[in-house]
Amino acid sequence: MTNSKHTCKNCEKTYSDSFAFCPHCGQKRNDQLTLKVLFYNTISNYFSFDARFFKSFFPLMLKPGFLAKKFIEGKRLLYLHPAQMYLFISLVFFFLFSFVEKDQAQQLDATLAKTMKKERVVDSLMTTIKNDSIKQSALLGKILKDSLERGELRKTFKEHKVLSELSNEELDSIISNAQFETRDFNSLSYMTKKIDSLIDSNASEDIILKEMGMTENDGYFTKRAYSQSLKFYQSKKGSGILRSFYGMIPIAMFFLLPIFAFILKMLHLKRGTYAHHLVFSFYYFAYLFTTFSIIIAINLIWDIYNWIDFLIIMSTSIYLLLALKYFYNQGWIKTFIKWCITIFIFLSIVTPVTTVFLIFYAFLFY
């Protein structure tokens, strides 16, 4: 009696019907596609979201450096792969962070709108004063100073059509922050009015940019800066720049994480290959994203005190110290010195340079 043959739908090779899985490619013989199979396989294959994740989660949070050391020692199937853990947790973090990003973008637009409203109020005030034929800045400053000392400036503000709509708090801010030197103000006021006039007359972008000061001899980035400045001035919103900045952070992490590992390699030249330090970095950054995800999740549900958030964030540096001690197995003095150097280089040099670059990129290409 011969065994019947089955043809694999994946590799199209035949094998005995007695096999539950294809001996050539490993696909299950009767692999019926259901929603459960679809989503479980997706999560399991790409993120290994199975028992290994839960076996890795608590050691990651409670045993600094433990997972990295075990992975280096060869226990690579018992715990989740460092790159897979980092990828999955970073995905969760940026999903939660998208809610924070939305709120911050709205707050930024509201702040800009309020600031620009005050600038228009000061513009209106200066125009009113200018129309009274006060030409000399010294005389103007003396009159305003005398009015302020006599308490008449607020009365003048309140009698103005536009200014009368503002609250006392907004008037206090204008009085304390407004600069009444006519030379600088008139120059800025003239420029903004001219740009507004060109925009209202539907002038081409080239004409407006030329009026702003851009020339044909300017380089690409200079022209791009002028163009984006005009875009920002027309929209009166900064949310686009902020979203562009946040959108670049996941990409930046693919450079920051290897740099962090390189710093560790330079401080521990005799402690394994670069890959060893990269494993440590993957697990440490996975811990960071997990901690930040927990903070964001809690604050989305219940707004906890800022000092609690601060203490939790600061604890991540203590976690790094303990992780370095366990992973590299050096004395406390050596570990402490290398911990200080690592934090100083990464937070004082690498992170600020990266932030400046991201802001520059976000402004030029939002």
Side-chain angles (χ1 to χ4, degrees):
M1 181 178 178
T2 59
N3 291 332
S4 59
K5 298 290 185 179
H6 178 81
T7 301
C8 177
K9 296 179 181 179
N10 181 53
C11 65
E12 298 182 352
K13 293 183 179 181
T14 59
Y15 57 91
S16 175
D17 236 357
S18 60
F19 294 155
F21 294 88
C22 174
H24 305 287
C25 67
Q27 177 166 293
K28 191 175 181 179
R29 187 177 55 155
N30 297 321
D31 191 12
Q32 298 296 327
L33 184 61
T34 63
L35 289 176
K36 179 181 178 181
V37 171
L38 175 63
F39 288 105
Y40 176 80
N41 286 345
T42 300
I43 296 174
S44 178
N45 290 338
Y46 290 97
F47 302 113
S48 292
F49 193 83
D50 50 23
R52 287 186 300 160
F53 176 82
F54 296 103
K55 287 180 180 178
S56 304
F57 179 79
F58 291 106
L60 175 70
M61 302 303 295
L62 302 176
K63 296 182 178 181
F66 175 82
L67 290 180
K69 191 167 186 176
K70 293 301 178 183
F71 190 86
I72 297 301
E73 290 175 353
K75 295 186 177 181
R76 299 173 186 174
L77 294 180
L78 182 61
Y79 302 106
L80 194 61
H81 191 280
Q84 289 176 318
M85 173 164 274
Y86 169 78
L87 179 62
F88 175 74
I89 294 177
S90 63
L91 182 65
V92 173
F93 167 77
F94 286 110
F95 169 74
L96 293 173
F97 188 74
S98 64
F99 296 98
V100 178
E101 174 187 336
K102 182 179 179 181
D103 291 339
Q104 290 185 351
Q106 292 175 346
Q107 291 176 9
L108 178 60
D109 285 342
T111 301
L112 285 174
K114 189 174 182 179
T115 301
M116 290 180 179
K117 179 181 178 181
K118 290 180 179 180
E119 289 177 353
R120 290 195 296 270
V121 168
V122 174
D123 188 358
S124 177
L125 170 65
M126 295 304 298
T127 301
T128 302
I129 297 174
K130 187 178 178 181
N131 290 338
D132 290 337
S133 300
I134 302 177
K135 301 295 184 180
Q136 299 180 5
S137 59
L139 179 60
L140 174 60
K142 185 177 184 302
I143 292 175
L144 289 173
K145 182 180 179 181
D146 293 343
S147 298
L148 183 60
E149 289 176 351
R150 293 196 305 268
E152 295 178 358
L153 188 56
R154 176 177 294 279
K155 181 179 179 182
T156 303
F157 275 30
K158 278 298 186 181
E159 291 174 351
H160 192 277
K161 181 179 179 181
V162 177
L163 297 166
S164 62
E165 299 176 358
L166 299 179
S167 65
N168 290 331
E169 290 77 10
E170 290 172 321
L171 286 176
D172 288 336
S173 178
I174 293 172
I175 292 174
S176 61
N177 296 322
Q179 300 297 320
F180 296 111
E181 291 82 1
T182 57
R183 182 180 302 174
D184 294 337
F185 175 83
N186 287 338
S187 175
L188 177 62
S189 178
Y190 173 78
M191 177 60 70
T192 56
K193 286 181 179 179
K194 192 153 191 177
I195 293 174
D196 289 337
S197 177
L198 290 172
I199 294 174
D200 292 339
S201 62
N202 295 321
S204 67
E205 183 176 312
D206 291 337
I207 294 176
I208 301 175
L209 292 175
K210 185 177 180 181
E211 188 63 36
M212 291 172 64
M214 192 182 79
T215 65
E216 292 294 332
N217 297 326
D218 289 332
Y220 170 78
F221 287 106
T222 303
K223 290 181 178 179
R224 185 74 183 180
Y226 272 109
S227 178
Q228 293 298 87
S229 297
L230 176 60
K231 180 180 177 181
F232 174 77
Y233 182 79
Q234 289 177 305
S235 66
K236 303 293 192 297
K237 293 181 178 180
S239 55
I241 300 175
L242 185 65
R243 288 194 175 98
S244 178
F245 174 81
Y246 284 149
M248 286 295 298
I249 293 179
I251 299 175
M253 292 307 303
F254 282 99
F255 297 95
L256 290 176
L257 193 149
I259 292 174
F260 185 82
F262 179 76
I263 296 172
L264 294 178
K265 172 62 179 175
M266 291 297 99
L267 294 174
H268 305 85
L269 290 174
K270 298 181 181 180
R271 296 282 176 164
T273 64
Y274 175 73
H276 289 66
H277 309 287
L278 198 58
V279 168
F280 178 90
S281 301
F282 270 124
Y283 279 124
Y284 178 64
F285 275 77
Y287 162 77
L288 287 179
F289 281 135
T290 302
T291 302
F292 295 153
S293 297
I294 292 173
I295 292 175
I296 293 174
I298 293 176
N299 278 279
L300 288 175
I301 300 172
W302 175 55
D303 190 15
I304 61 178
Y305 295 109
N306 292 333
W307 65 268
I308 298 179
D309 291 338
F310 177 77
L311 288 179
I312 295 175
I313 293 174
M314 290 302 297
S315 70
T316 59
S317 62
I318 305 300
Y319 179 99
L320 176 61
L321 175 63
L322 299 176
L324 291 174
K325 177 67 174 69
Y326 184 84
F327 183 75
Y328 294 105
N329 194 27
Q330 293 183 326
W332 279 107
I333 296 178
K334 274 189 176 181
T335 301
F336 180 78
I337 293 173
K338 293 180 179 181
W339 171 71
C340 292
I341 295 174
T342 302
I343 290 180
F344 175 78
I345 295 175
F346 194 76
L347 294 184
S348 301
I349 300 175
V350 177
T351 302
V353 170
T354 304
T355 302
V356 170
F357 174 79
L358 291 183
I359 293 174
F360 179 73
Y361 181 91
F363 177 73
L364 290 184
F365 300 101
Y366 81 94

